[in-house]
Amino acid sequence: MRNVPEPNYEYDIQRLVSVYKRGITGILAELNRLDLTDLQRAQILAALKNISDILRGINDESTQWVNEVIPKAISDGIASTIVALGVADTLEQAQKIVKFNRANKALAEAVIADTQSDLLAVTQNIDRRVRATVRQVAAESMRANYAKGINGRKAISRDILTGLREKLGTSVNTGIIDAAGRRWKPEVYVDMLVRTKTMSAHLDATINEAVAREAYYGRISSHGATDACRNYEGKIVKLVPDAPGDYPYIGDLRGGRDIFHPNCKHTVTPTRLPDGI
Ligand SMILES: [Zn+2]
């Protein structure tokens, strides 16, 4: 059985993450520019408009990214299967004969739609939190302005200003809460999300192509993992549940905590004969 190089989307992932980082820096700059000692409605509206523009820019770039990188991950999965099964000798040759079969066309469509909507949820979340926090901070700043006369002060106290600034910053930087209730910085969440989506698209494409070529087994890759994945490195799995032989079915391993977890780098090299490995 041949080993094919593990997919690596580091460059693409960093490119997308930097879009979010730049956007968030821009949003923070807009929020920092607000004069909290004398917050005017027009100023708030202008800032929120600029923030919306920044978020729309992020959405446009994410859409392009997903349309380009997800099909590439699927195509890579198909190409590496073609090499693993000996249909082509090199990945370059394999890339030339890659064709998306029906299952892989459907896969591409589903993963693109899914990733788009997950990424859209990130910017929607930032938008909602920033708006709510700006409103809250505006109300607090106004109250503090009324109250300052009571103490004979001329301005809002430094403590209050610092607290309001912090609130604005936090609204952007801890805005994502996942299904398990964990808080994420948006760029860390996006990194995890697209890393997981590209790897899982690659794996699904591999399985689809392998099964279409009547290869029903695969070997899990090895890179010296130290987490729970280490127990699975080099192991043979079934790609379809009813293939003969006493091997775990890959579908039962996925989505669990042990292997093929978020951020997991493991792949599968397909083979027709589990004994021939
Ligand atoms: Zn792993």
Side-chain angles (χ1 to χ4, degrees), residues 140-157:
E140 284 180 35
S141 131
M142 207 177 288
R143 266 201 300 277
N145 258 316
Y146 288 135
K148 72 189 176 196
I150 298 169
N151 304 317
R153 287 208 194 97
K154 289 199 177 67
I156 304 181
S157 80

Side-chain angles (χ1 to χ4, degrees), residues 210-254:
V211 170
R213 291 178 182 274
E214 292 167 358
Y216 302 123
Y217 305 90
R219 185 173 59 190
I220 294 178
S221 61
S222 304
H223 54 248
T226 52
D227 61 6
C229 286
R230 70 182 184 277
N231 302 320
Y232 294 91
E233 291 197 325
K235 289 260 161 73
I236 301 297
V237 290
K238 286 182 197 181
L239 304 182
V240 286
D242 44 6
D246 188 20
Y247 307 102
Y249 167 48
I250 191 166
D252 292 335
L253 300 179
R254 298 179 79 184

Side-chain angles (χ1 to χ4, degrees), residues 229 261 264-266:
C229 286
H261 51 76
C264 180
K265 288 189 174 66
H266 285 98

Side-chain angles (χ1 to χ4, degrees), residues 9 73-74 107 111 114 193-207 254 260-261 264 266:
Y9 302 105
I74 291 172
L107 173 70
V111 181
D114 211 42
L193 176 74
V194 297
R195 197 176 290 278
T196 307
K197 294 280 189 200
T198 45
M199 288 308 281
S200 117
H202 186 281
L203 180 56
D204 276 314
T206 299
I207 297 171
R254 298 179 79 184
F260 305 123
H261 51 76
C264 180
H266 285 98

Side-chain angles (χ1 to χ4, degrees), residues 24-273:
I24 284 160
T25 305
I27 292 171
L28 286 171
E30 285 296 331
L31 294 174
N32 276 327
R33 221 170 282 143
L34 292 173
D35 178 5
L36 300 181
T37 58
D38 181 26
L39 207 44
Q40 301 293 323
R41 194 178 136 75
Q43 202 199 3
I44 294 175
L45 291 179
L48 290 178
K49 158 91 172 60
N50 290 342
I51 290 170
S52 286
D53 289 346
I54 292 172
L55 292 172
R56 193 168 325 115
I58 295 179
N59 288 342
D60 290 347
E61 289 196 63
S62 313
T63 303
Q64 267 185 32
W65 188 95
V66 170
N67 285 331
E68 175 197 324
V69 179
I70 296 297
K72 185 166 85 180
I74 291 172
S75 168
D76 288 348
I78 299 170
S80 64
T81 302
I82 290 174
V83 175
L85 297 180
V87 181
D89 283 330
T90 64
L91 269 180
E92 290 71 43
Q93 284 175 19
Q95 305 277 12
K96 287 181 197 146
I97 55 170
V98 162
K99 255 176 90 179
F100 282 34
N101 61 27
R102 236 173 48 193
N104 276 330
K105 273 187 198 153
L107 173 70
E109 231 171 79
V111 181
I112 286 172
D114 211 42
T115 312
Q116 300 280 26
S117 83
D118 285 350
L119 287 172
L120 197 60
V122 174
T123 49
Q124 279 171 342
N125 200 291
I126 295 174
D127 190 47
R128 198 166 48 236
R129 282 183 62 101
V130 165
R131 278 172 195 280
T133 310
V134 165
R135 264 197 303 274
Q136 193 195 347
V137 164
E140 284 180 35
S141 131
M142 207 177 288
R143 266 201 300 277
N145 258 316
Y146 288 135
K148 72 189 176 196
I150 298 169
N151 304 317
R153 287 208 194 97
K154 289 199 177 67
I156 304 181
S157 80
R158 192 172 284 268
D159 283 356
I160 291 180
L161 278 181
T162 309
L164 295 179
R165 287 256 168 257
E166 266 172 22
K167 256 184 204 170
L168 288 174
T170 309
S171 73
V172 187
N173 272 326
T174 60
I176 312 301
I177 302 171
D178 67 13
R182 282 172 301 225
R183 287 187 170 279
W184 297 76
K185 276 184 140 193
E187 68 260 32
V188 178
Y189 179 77
V190 165
D191 185 297
M192 180 279 294
L193 176 74
V194 297
R195 197 176 290 278
T196 307
K197 294 280 189 200
T198 45
M199 288 308 281
S200 117
H202 186 281
L203 180 56
D204 276 314
T206 299
I207 297 171
N208 287 341
E209 184 70 16
V211 170
R213 291 178 182 274
E214 292 167 358
Y216 302 123
Y217 305 90
R219 185 173 59 190
I220 294 178
S221 61
S222 304
H223 54 248
T226 52
D227 61 6
C229 286
R230 70 182 184 277
N231 302 320
Y232 294 91
E233 291 197 325
K235 289 260 161 73
I236 301 297
V237 290
K238 286 182 197 181
L239 304 182
V240 286
D242 44 6
D246 188 20
Y247 307 102
Y249 167 48
I250 191 166
D252 292 335
L253 300 179
R254 298 179 79 184
R257 249 179 256 168
D258 285 358
I259 187 162
F260 305 123
H261 51 76
N263 283 334
C264 180
K265 288 189 174 66
H266 285 98
T267 55
V268 165
T269 301
T271 178
R272 290 194 177 87
L273 301 165

